Amino acid sequence: MTPSTLLLLLADGRFPAGAHAHSGGLEAAVGAGRVSDLATLAAFLRGRLATAGLVGAAFAAAAHRAAGQPDRAGLLALLDAELDARTAAEALRRVSRRQGRALLRAGRSVWPAAEFTDLPTAGGGPHQPLVLGVVAAAAGLTRAETALTAAYQTVTGAASAGVRLLGLDPYRVQALLVDLAAACDRTAAEADRAAGEPPWRLPAAAAPLADIHAEVHATWEVRLFAS
């Protein structure tokens, strides 16, 4: 496969890493009445891209960079600790590590010759953006492509969940994603630039309400999505 095809493969929600089971916080936002139609979904997606999207893409790109360094184990451990510090909600930390384990399993199955042993194991496994960066490097993607994949996944998963949760017209939801394309590209480019900085200087954009919603969502006895 060419690198561009591999980018599509990793960005595809059907890649067997469990992304389809997560709404990116949308289910909790719908439950709180904050997202109820196309307009509020669009606002949610823009906010998510500017916060979780930027942070996740920057850390994925930084992990891609670290994968090629002689001290990769130490760098990845430092990135994991820095991302943990940026994830205020314990519920979101658990989700990120759970998704990281799922992606790591998929990566090892698809690229068995790749080296994944230096990823941190503390705290239940590495955060998902770090695994994405290492898997993308193993697949031969560039750092910029890795950042773009991460940013893209941030909004597409939640958009797909919006169709299921709100019964929205899927064509109009896809139109929202088209409208977000330029912002997604800019976010990925910003993340790629930031990835050259030391781990402690990577973006730390926060969404406190999303953190609160995640903790509330984790207590629901009945829910459609894991997060």
PDB file of all heavy atoms in Angstrom, residues 29-66:
ATOM      1  N   ALA A  29     -23.211  14.931  26.231  1.00  0.00           N
ATOM      2  CA  ALA A  29     -23.661  16.273  25.854  1.00  0.00           C
ATOM      3  C   ALA A  29     -25.109  16.256  25.382  1.00  0.00           C
ATOM      4  O   ALA A  29     -25.883  17.177  25.671  1.00  0.00           O
ATOM      5  CB  ALA A  29     -22.763  16.838  24.756  1.00  0.00           C
ATOM      6  N   VAL A  30     -25.500  15.199  24.677  1.00  0.00           N
ATOM      7  CA  VAL A  30     -26.896  15.046  24.259  1.00  0.00           C
ATOM      8  C   VAL A  30     -27.775  14.845  25.488  1.00  0.00           C
ATOM      9  O   VAL A  30     -28.850  15.462  25.615  1.00  0.00           O
ATOM     10  CB  VAL A  30     -27.046  13.860  23.286  1.00  0.00           C
ATOM     11  CG1 VAL A  30     -28.520  13.534  23.052  1.00  0.00           C
ATOM     12  CG2 VAL A  30     -26.367  14.188  21.962  1.00  0.00           C
ATOM     13  N   GLY A  31     -27.314  14.010  26.403  1.00  0.00           N
ATOM     14  CA  GLY A  31     -28.088  13.765  27.620  1.00  0.00           C
ATOM     15  C   GLY A  31     -28.282  15.016  28.454  1.00  0.00           C
ATOM     16  O   GLY A  31     -29.308  15.172  29.122  1.00  0.00           O
ATOM     17  N   ALA A  32     -27.312  15.918  28.423  1.00  0.00           N
ATOM     18  CA  ALA A  32     -27.409  17.165  29.185  1.00  0.00           C
ATOM     19  C   ALA A  32     -28.202  18.232  28.444  1.00  0.00           C
ATOM     20  O   ALA A  32     -28.406  19.331  28.964  1.00  0.00           O
ATOM     21  CB  ALA A  32     -26.001  17.691  29.490  1.00  0.00           C
ATOM     22  N   GLY A  33     -28.642  17.919  27.219  1.00  0.00           N
ATOM     23  CA  GLY A  33     -29.421  18.867  26.436  1.00  0.00           C
ATOM     24  C   GLY A  33     -28.587  19.931  25.741  1.00  0.00           C
ATOM     25  O   GLY A  33     -29.139  20.898  25.203  1.00  0.00           O
ATOM     26  N   ARG A  34     -27.282  19.753  25.696  1.00  0.00           N
ATOM     27  CA  ARG A  34     -26.412  20.756  25.080  1.00  0.00           C
ATOM     28  C   ARG A  34     -26.248  20.561  23.579  1.00  0.00           C
ATOM     29  O   ARG A  34     -25.859  21.484  22.855  1.00  0.00           O
ATOM     30  CB  ARG A  34     -25.045  20.757  25.772  1.00  0.00           C
ATOM     31  CG  ARG A  34     -25.133  21.137  27.232  1.00  0.00           C
ATOM     32  CD  ARG A  34     -23.782  21.227  27.900  1.00  0.00           C
ATOM     33  NE  ARG A  34     -23.928  21.545  29.313  1.00  0.00           N
ATOM     34  CZ  ARG A  34     -24.124  22.761  29.814  1.00  0.00           C
ATOM     35  NH1 ARG A  34     -24.185  23.793  28.983  1.00  0.00           N
ATOM     36  NH2 ARG A  34     -24.258  22.953  31.105  1.00  0.00           N
ATOM     37  N   VAL A  35     -26.498  19.347  23.114  1.00  0.00           N
ATOM     38  CA  VAL A  35     -26.475  19.067  21.676  1.00  0.00           C
ATOM     39  C   VAL A  35     -27.806  18.420  21.314  1.00  0.00           C
ATOM     40  O   VAL A  35     -28.168  17.381  21.879  1.00  0.00           O
ATOM     41  CB  VAL A  35     -25.318  18.126  21.290  1.00  0.00           C
ATOM     42  CG1 VAL A  35     -25.353  17.815  19.801  1.00  0.00           C
ATOM     43  CG2 VAL A  35     -23.974  18.751  21.662  1.00  0.00           C
ATOM     44  N   SER A  36     -28.531  19.043  20.390  1.00  0.00           N
ATOM     45  CA  SER A  36     -29.872  18.540  20.069  1.00  0.00           C
ATOM     46  C   SER A  36     -30.207  18.606  18.583  1.00  0.00           C
ATOM     47  O   SER A  36     -31.234  18.074  18.165  1.00  0.00           O
ATOM     48  CB  SER A  36     -30.922  19.350  20.849  1.00  0.00           C
ATOM     49  OG  SER A  36     -30.810  20.735  20.536  1.00  0.00           O
ATOM     50  N   ASP A  37     -29.352  19.246  17.796  1.00  0.00           N
ATOM     51  CA  ASP A  37     -29.645  19.391  16.369  1.00  0.00           C
ATOM     52  C   ASP A  37     -28.342  19.607  15.608  1.00  0.00           C
ATOM     53  O   ASP A  37     -27.248  19.545  16.187  1.00  0.00           O
ATOM     54  CB  ASP A  37     -30.617  20.547  16.128  1.00  0.00           C
ATOM     55  CG  ASP A  37     -30.144  21.864  16.735  1.00  0.00           C
ATOM     56  OD1 ASP A  37     -28.932  21.994  17.023  1.00  0.00           O
ATOM     57  OD2 ASP A  37     -30.969  22.776  16.909  1.00  0.00           O
ATOM     58  N   LEU A  38     -28.456  19.874  14.309  1.00  0.00           N
ATOM     59  CA  LEU A  38     -27.261  20.044  13.489  1.00  0.00           C
ATOM     60  C   LEU A  38     -26.411  21.237  13.932  1.00  0.00           C
ATOM     61  O   LEU A  38     -25.180  21.154  13.954  1.00  0.00           O
ATOM     62  CB  LEU A  38     -27.660  20.216  12.028  1.00  0.00           C
ATOM     63  CG  LEU A  38     -27.980  18.937  11.252  1.00  0.00           C
ATOM     64  CD1 LEU A  38     -28.652  19.289   9.927  1.00  0.00           C
ATOM     65  CD2 LEU A  38     -26.704  18.136  11.001  1.00  0.00           C
ATOM     66  N   ALA A  39     -27.056  22.325  14.296  1.00  0.00           N
ATOM     67  CA  ALA A  39     -26.306  23.522  14.670  1.00  0.00           C
ATOM     68  C   ALA A  39     -25.489  23.289  15.938  1.00  0.00           C
ATOM     69  O   ALA A  39     -24.310  23.663  16.016  1.00  0.00           O
ATOM     70  CB  ALA A  39     -27.267  24.695  14.864  1.00  0.00           C
ATOM     71  N   THR A  40     -26.111  22.664  16.929  1.00  0.00           N
ATOM     72  CA  THR A  40     -25.380  22.420  18.172  1.00  0.00           C
ATOM     73  C   THR A  40     -24.358  21.303  18.002  1.00  0.00           C
ATOM     74  O   THR A  40     -23.315  21.314  18.660  1.00  0.00           O
ATOM     75  CB  THR A  40     -26.347  22.093  19.321  1.00  0.00           C
ATOM     76  OG1 THR A  40     -27.300  21.088  18.900  1.00  0.00           O
ATOM     77  CG2 THR A  40     -27.108  23.342  19.759  1.00  0.00           C
ATOM     78  N   LEU A  41     -24.622  20.357  17.108  1.00  0.00           N
ATOM     79  CA  LEU A  41     -23.612  19.338  16.816  1.00  0.00           C
ATOM     80  C   LEU A  41     -22.392  19.979  16.156  1.00  0.00           C
ATOM     81  O   LEU A  41     -21.246  19.648  16.488  1.00  0.00           O
ATOM     82  CB  LEU A  41     -24.189  18.252  15.907  1.00  0.00           C
ATOM     83  CG  LEU A  41     -23.183  17.181  15.434  1.00  0.00           C
ATOM     84  CD1 LEU A  41     -22.592  16.429  16.625  1.00  0.00           C
ATOM     85  CD2 LEU A  41     -23.845  16.216  14.452  1.00  0.00           C
ATOM     86  N   ALA A  42     -22.620  20.905  15.234  1.00  0.00           N
ATOM     87  CA  ALA A  42     -21.511  21.589  14.583  1.00  0.00           C
ATOM     88  C   ALA A  42     -20.657  22.345  15.597  1.00  0.00           C
ATOM     89  O   ALA A  42     -19.417  22.307  15.540  1.00  0.00           O
ATOM     90  CB  ALA A  42     -22.046  22.551  13.523  1.00  0.00           C
ATOM     91  N   ALA A  43     -21.302  23.008  16.547  1.00  0.00           N
ATOM     92  CA  ALA A  43     -20.566  23.737  17.583  1.00  0.00           C
ATOM     93  C   ALA A  43     -19.772  22.766  18.455  1.00  0.00           C
ATOM     94  O   ALA A  43     -18.621  23.042  18.830  1.00  0.00           O
ATOM     95  CB  ALA A  43     -21.538  24.558  18.431  1.00  0.00           C
ATOM     96  N   PHE A  44     -20.383  21.639  18.776  1.00  0.00           N
ATOM     97  CA  PHE A  44     -19.700  20.623  19.577  1.00  0.00           C
ATOM     98  C   PHE A  44     -18.453  20.124  18.856  1.00  0.00           C
ATOM     99  O   PHE A  44     -17.377  19.991  19.451  1.00  0.00           O
ATOM    100  CB  PHE A  44     -20.653  19.463  19.860  1.00  0.00           C
ATOM    101  CG  PHE A  44     -20.029  18.316  20.619  1.00  0.00           C
ATOM    102  CD1 PHE A  44     -20.039  18.295  22.007  1.00  0.00           C
ATOM    103  CD2 PHE A  44     -19.433  17.255  19.947  1.00  0.00           C
ATOM    104  CE1 PHE A  44     -19.454  17.243  22.707  1.00  0.00           C
ATOM    105  CE2 PHE A  44     -18.850  16.202  20.627  1.00  0.00           C
ATOM    106  CZ  PHE A  44     -18.860  16.189  22.019  1.00  0.00           C
ATOM    107  N   LEU A  45     -18.580  19.832  17.576  1.00  0.00           N
ATOM    108  CA  LEU A  45     -17.453  19.303  16.812  1.00  0.00           C
ATOM    109  C   LEU A  45     -16.324  20.325  16.704  1.00  0.00           C
ATOM    110  O   LEU A  45     -15.147  19.970  16.815  1.00  0.00           O
ATOM    111  CB  LEU A  45     -17.911  18.873  15.416  1.00  0.00           C
ATOM    112  CG  LEU A  45     -18.893  17.703  15.348  1.00  0.00           C
ATOM    113  CD1 LEU A  45     -19.310  17.433  13.906  1.00  0.00           C
ATOM    114  CD2 LEU A  45     -18.300  16.444  15.975  1.00  0.00           C
ATOM    115  N   ARG A  46     -16.664  21.572  16.509  1.00  0.00           N
ATOM    116  CA  ARG A  46     -15.635  22.609  16.439  1.00  0.00           C
ATOM    117  C   ARG A  46     -14.907  22.744  17.775  1.00  0.00           C
ATOM    118  O   ARG A  46     -13.671  22.882  17.820  1.00  0.00           O
ATOM    119  CB  ARG A  46     -16.239  23.950  16.023  1.00  0.00           C
ATOM    120  CG  ARG A  46     -16.653  23.994  14.562  1.00  0.00           C
ATOM    121  CD  ARG A  46     -17.005  25.394  14.093  1.00  0.00           C
ATOM    122  NE  ARG A  46     -17.356  25.382  12.679  1.00  0.00           N
ATOM    123  CZ  ARG A  46     -16.470  25.415  11.690  1.00  0.00           C
ATOM    124  NH1 ARG A  46     -15.168  25.486  11.984  1.00  0.00           N
ATOM    125  NH2 ARG A  46     -16.858  25.401  10.430  1.00  0.00           N
ATOM    126  N   GLY A  47     -15.663  22.702  18.849  1.00  0.00           N
ATOM    127  CA  GLY A  47     -15.046  22.782  20.170  1.00  0.00           C
ATOM    128  C   GLY A  47     -14.161  21.586  20.456  1.00  0.00           C
ATOM    129  O   GLY A  47     -13.062  21.718  21.016  1.00  0.00           O
ATOM    130  N   ARG A  48     -14.614  20.417  20.057  1.00  0.00           N
ATOM    131  CA  ARG A  48     -13.823  19.204  20.281  1.00  0.00           C
ATOM    132  C   ARG A  48     -12.536  19.226  19.461  1.00  0.00           C
ATOM    133  O   ARG A  48     -11.475  18.829  19.944  1.00  0.00           O
ATOM    134  CB  ARG A  48     -14.668  17.977  19.934  1.00  0.00           C
ATOM    135  CG  ARG A  48     -13.964  16.659  20.138  1.00  0.00           C
ATOM    136  CD  ARG A  48     -14.936  15.495  20.181  1.00  0.00           C
ATOM    137  NE  ARG A  48     -14.231  14.230  20.112  1.00  0.00           N
ATOM    138  CZ  ARG A  48     -13.529  13.681  21.108  1.00  0.00           C
ATOM    139  NH1 ARG A  48     -13.464  14.304  22.264  1.00  0.00           N
ATOM    140  NH2 ARG A  48     -12.915  12.525  20.957  1.00  0.00           N
ATOM    141  N   LEU A  49     -12.618  19.714  18.236  1.00  0.00           N
ATOM    142  CA  LEU A  49     -11.436  19.792  17.394  1.00  0.00           C
ATOM    143  C   LEU A  49     -10.401  20.753  17.986  1.00  0.00           C
ATOM    144  O   LEU A  49      -9.193  20.465  17.969  1.00  0.00           O
ATOM    145  CB  LEU A  49     -11.837  20.253  15.991  1.00  0.00           C
ATOM    146  CG  LEU A  49     -10.726  20.344  14.941  1.00  0.00           C
ATOM    147  CD1 LEU A  49     -10.078  18.979  14.715  1.00  0.00           C
ATOM    148  CD2 LEU A  49     -11.294  20.875  13.628  1.00  0.00           C
ATOM    149  N   ALA A  50     -10.874  21.865  18.541  1.00  0.00           N
ATOM    150  CA  ALA A  50      -9.969  22.878  19.074  1.00  0.00           C
ATOM    151  C   ALA A  50      -9.337  22.474  20.397  1.00  0.00           C
ATOM    152  O   ALA A  50      -8.316  23.060  20.797  1.00  0.00           O
ATOM    153  CB  ALA A  50     -10.726  24.193  19.264  1.00  0.00           C
ATOM    154  N   THR A  51      -9.886  21.487  21.068  1.00  0.00           N
ATOM    155  CA  THR A  51      -9.370  21.072  22.375  1.00  0.00           C
ATOM    156  C   THR A  51      -8.774  19.662  22.293  1.00  0.00           C
ATOM    157  O   THR A  51      -7.576  19.497  22.096  1.00  0.00           O
ATOM    158  CB  THR A  51     -10.476  21.156  23.438  1.00  0.00           C
ATOM    159  OG1 THR A  51     -11.640  20.424  22.981  1.00  0.00           O
ATOM    160  CG2 THR A  51     -10.886  22.600  23.673  1.00  0.00           C
ATOM    161  N   ALA A  52      -9.616  18.651  22.408  1.00  0.00           N
ATOM    162  CA  ALA A  52      -9.136  17.269  22.358  1.00  0.00           C
ATOM    163  C   ALA A  52      -8.456  16.959  21.034  1.00  0.00           C
ATOM    164  O   ALA A  52      -7.479  16.198  20.983  1.00  0.00           O
ATOM    165  CB  ALA A  52     -10.309  16.309  22.589  1.00  0.00           C
ATOM    166  N   GLY A  53      -8.949  17.559  19.949  1.00  0.00           N
ATOM    167  CA  GLY A  53      -8.358  17.309  18.638  1.00  0.00           C
ATOM    168  C   GLY A  53      -6.939  17.820  18.545  1.00  0.00           C
ATOM    169  O   GLY A  53      -6.035  17.116  18.081  1.00  0.00           O
ATOM    170  N   LEU A  54      -6.716  19.046  18.988  1.00  0.00           N
ATOM    171  CA  LEU A  54      -5.381  19.635  18.935  1.00  0.00           C
ATOM    172  C   LEU A  54      -4.412  18.881  19.841  1.00  0.00           C
ATOM    173  O   LEU A  54      -3.291  18.547  19.441  1.00  0.00           O
ATOM    174  CB  LEU A  54      -5.446  21.105  19.341  1.00  0.00           C
ATOM    175  CG  LEU A  54      -4.099  21.822  19.448  1.00  0.00           C
ATOM    176  CD1 LEU A  54      -3.362  21.824  18.116  1.00  0.00           C
ATOM    177  CD2 LEU A  54      -4.295  23.251  19.964  1.00  0.00           C
ATOM    178  N   VAL A  55      -4.843  18.612  21.065  1.00  0.00           N
ATOM    179  CA  VAL A  55      -3.965  17.921  22.019  1.00  0.00           C
ATOM    180  C   VAL A  55      -3.634  16.512  21.533  1.00  0.00           C
ATOM    181  O   VAL A  55      -2.471  16.094  21.508  1.00  0.00           O
ATOM    182  CB  VAL A  55      -4.614  17.883  23.421  1.00  0.00           C
ATOM    183  CG1 VAL A  55      -3.780  17.023  24.372  1.00  0.00           C
ATOM    184  CG2 VAL A  55      -4.764  19.296  23.974  1.00  0.00           C
ATOM    185  N   GLY A  56      -4.669  15.769  21.131  1.00  0.00           N
ATOM    186  CA  GLY A  56      -4.441  14.405  20.675  1.00  0.00           C
ATOM    187  C   GLY A  56      -3.552  14.342  19.446  1.00  0.00           C
ATOM    188  O   GLY A  56      -2.663  13.489  19.345  1.00  0.00           O
ATOM    189  N   ALA A  57      -3.766  15.244  18.500  1.00  0.00           N
ATOM    190  CA  ALA A  57      -2.961  15.260  17.276  1.00  0.00           C
ATOM    191  C   ALA A  57      -1.506  15.620  17.580  1.00  0.00           C
ATOM    192  O   ALA A  57      -0.580  15.048  16.993  1.00  0.00           O
ATOM    193  CB  ALA A  57      -3.559  16.234  16.270  1.00  0.00           C
ATOM    194  N   ALA A  58      -1.300  16.566  18.485  1.00  0.00           N
ATOM    195  CA  ALA A  58       0.064  16.960  18.838  1.00  0.00           C
ATOM    196  C   ALA A  58       0.810  15.806  19.514  1.00  0.00           C
ATOM    197  O   ALA A  58       1.988  15.555  19.225  1.00  0.00           O
ATOM    198  CB  ALA A  58       0.037  18.181  19.746  1.00  0.00           C
ATOM    199  N   PHE A  59       0.139  15.112  20.411  1.00  0.00           N
ATOM    200  CA  PHE A  59       0.789  14.001  21.103  1.00  0.00           C
ATOM    201  C   PHE A  59       1.002  12.812  20.174  1.00  0.00           C
ATOM    202  O   PHE A  59       2.007  12.103  20.292  1.00  0.00           O
ATOM    203  CB  PHE A  59      -0.002  13.612  22.342  1.00  0.00           C
ATOM    204  CG  PHE A  59       0.367  14.425  23.553  1.00  0.00           C
ATOM    205  CD1 PHE A  59      -0.197  15.674  23.764  1.00  0.00           C
ATOM    206  CD2 PHE A  59       1.296  13.951  24.462  1.00  0.00           C
ATOM    207  CE1 PHE A  59       0.161  16.439  24.872  1.00  0.00           C
ATOM    208  CE2 PHE A  59       1.666  14.708  25.567  1.00  0.00           C
ATOM    209  CZ  PHE A  59       1.099  15.958  25.775  1.00  0.00           C
ATOM    210  N   ALA A  60       0.083  12.589  19.245  1.00  0.00           N
ATOM    211  CA  ALA A  60       0.285  11.516  18.273  1.00  0.00           C
ATOM    212  C   ALA A  60       1.498  11.826  17.393  1.00  0.00           C
ATOM    213  O   ALA A  60       2.340  10.953  17.127  1.00  0.00           O
ATOM    214  CB  ALA A  60      -0.964  11.343  17.415  1.00  0.00           C
ATOM    215  N   ALA A  61       1.596  13.072  16.943  1.00  0.00           N
ATOM    216  CA  ALA A  61       2.734  13.468  16.114  1.00  0.00           C
ATOM    217  C   ALA A  61       4.039  13.408  16.906  1.00  0.00           C
ATOM    218  O   ALA A  61       5.088  13.007  16.370  1.00  0.00           O
ATOM    219  CB  ALA A  61       2.512  14.876  15.563  1.00  0.00           C
ATOM    220  N   ALA A  62       3.987  13.794  18.181  1.00  0.00           N
ATOM    221  CA  ALA A  62       5.189  13.734  19.018  1.00  0.00           C
ATOM    222  C   ALA A  62       5.614  12.283  19.257  1.00  0.00           C
ATOM    223  O   ALA A  62       6.813  11.981  19.301  1.00  0.00           O
ATOM    224  CB  ALA A  62       4.933  14.427  20.348  1.00  0.00           C
ATOM    225  N   ALA A  63       4.651  11.379  19.411  1.00  0.00           N
ATOM    226  CA  ALA A  63       4.976   9.961  19.578  1.00  0.00           C
ATOM    227  C   ALA A  63       5.579   9.401  18.302  1.00  0.00           C
ATOM    228  O   ALA A  63       6.490   8.561  18.349  1.00  0.00           O
ATOM    229  CB  ALA A  63       3.723   9.179  19.970  1.00  0.00           C
ATOM    230  N   HIS A  64       5.078   9.850  17.156  1.00  0.00           N
ATOM    231  CA  HIS A  64       5.656   9.451  15.872  1.00  0.00           C
ATOM    232  C   HIS A  64       7.124   9.890  15.817  1.00  0.00           C
ATOM    233  O   HIS A  64       8.010   9.120  15.398  1.00  0.00           O
ATOM    234  CB  HIS A  64       4.861  10.093  14.734  1.00  0.00           C
ATOM    235  CG  HIS A  64       5.331   9.735  13.362  1.00  0.00           C
ATOM    236  ND1 HIS A  64       6.503  10.230  12.820  1.00  0.00           N
ATOM    237  CD2 HIS A  64       4.777   8.934  12.408  1.00  0.00           C
ATOM    238  CE1 HIS A  64       6.661   9.758  11.601  1.00  0.00           C
ATOM    239  NE2 HIS A  64       5.630   8.966  11.318  1.00  0.00           N
ATOM    240  N   ARG A  65       7.388  11.107  16.236  1.00  0.00           N
ATOM    241  CA  ARG A  65       8.766  11.632  16.264  1.00  0.00           C
ATOM    242  C   ARG A  65       9.633  10.826  17.224  1.00  0.00           C
ATOM    243  O   ARG A  65      10.773  10.470  16.908  1.00  0.00           O
ATOM    244  CB  ARG A  65       8.733  13.101  16.675  1.00  0.00           C
ATOM    245  CG  ARG A  65      10.088  13.771  16.811  1.00  0.00           C
ATOM    246  CD  ARG A  65       9.902  15.266  17.024  1.00  0.00           C
ATOM    247  NE  ARG A  65      11.173  15.947  17.223  1.00  0.00           N
ATOM    248  CZ  ARG A  65      11.663  16.265  18.417  1.00  0.00           C
ATOM    249  NH1 ARG A  65      10.971  15.976  19.525  1.00  0.00           N
ATOM    250  NH2 ARG A  65      12.818  16.881  18.530  1.00  0.00           N
ATOM    251  N   ALA A  66       9.082  10.516  18.401  1.00  0.00           N
ATOM    252  CA  ALA A  66       9.841   9.767  19.406  1.00  0.00           C
ATOM    253  C   ALA A  66      10.168   8.355  18.944  1.00  0.00           C
ATOM    254  O   ALA A  66      11.199   7.791  19.336  1.00  0.00           O
ATOM    255  CB  ALA A  66       9.049   9.706  20.714  1.00  0.00           C
TER     256      ALA A  66
END
